[in-house]
Amino acid sequence: QVQLVESGGGLVQAGGSLRLSCAASGSIFSINAMGWYRQAPGKQRRLVATITSGGSTNYADSVKGRFTISRDNAKNTVYLQMNSLKPEDTAVYYCTADIREYYSTRNYVGWGQGTQVTVSS
């Protein structure tokens, strides 16, 4: 089974920056799209940003111009640079990846365990 491990969360003041990382490890043949979701207390998990293996990106309107998603395909790692953070960005952030394992004929979507981001006002 492939594991996705996030890092980089923490507490930051409004207007500050954080960079999240998520590394996939295990029996990986290929990874297509990777992305980040977030879930605030009492709310549904929502898409933040996605990136294809070719580098095409997509963002939620609420983070456009402030967050940047990128990836290092050689390291099977996706990043989320978060600038100009707001208290409403406070949430648990989850990474996700569309994975194909060796000796498998189908993809599946893997999830990380989540990392807490707290933005104080």
Side-chain angles (χ1 to χ4, degrees):
Q1 188 77 9
V2 173
Q3 287 191 321
L4 298 173
V5 179
E6 299 118 333
S7 61
L11 174 64
V12 64
Q13 287 189 331
S17 298
L18 283 174
R19 188 190 194 211
L20 305 182
S21 300
C22 173
S25 63
S27 182
I28 299 169
F29 176 73
S30 65
I31 298 179
N32 294 329
M34 302 184 81
W36 291 93
Y37 284 71
R38 67 186 182 186
Q39 187 167 19
K43 296 189 177 180
Q44 289 186 329
R45 190 173 299 187
R46 295 190 178 275
L47 174 71
V48 175
T50 61
I51 184 168
T52 68
S53 57
S56 296
T57 59
N58 180 56
Y59 295 93
D61 287 343
S62 59
V63 306
K64 282 181 181 176
R66 300 188 298 122
F67 291 10
T68 302
I69 189 170
S70 61
R71 64 190 284 175
D72 184 332
N73 291 331
K75 296 181 179 179
N76 292 323
T77 299
V78 63
Y79 306 96
L80 186 67
Q81 178 67 45
M82 305 185 293
N83 298 329
S84 302
L85 282 161
K86 304 175 181 180
E88 51 263 44
D89 294 318
T90 295
V92 178
Y93 284 70
Y94 299 90
C95 73
T96 182
D98 182 14
I99 299 163
R100 173 80 62 93
E101 293 191 26
Y102 282 106
Y103 311 116
S104 176
T105 59
R106 58 186 179 88
N107 288 36
Y108 67 90
V109 177
W111 290 84
Q113 80 286 354
T115 186
Q116 177 71 44
V117 171
T118 303
V119 184
S120 63
S121 58

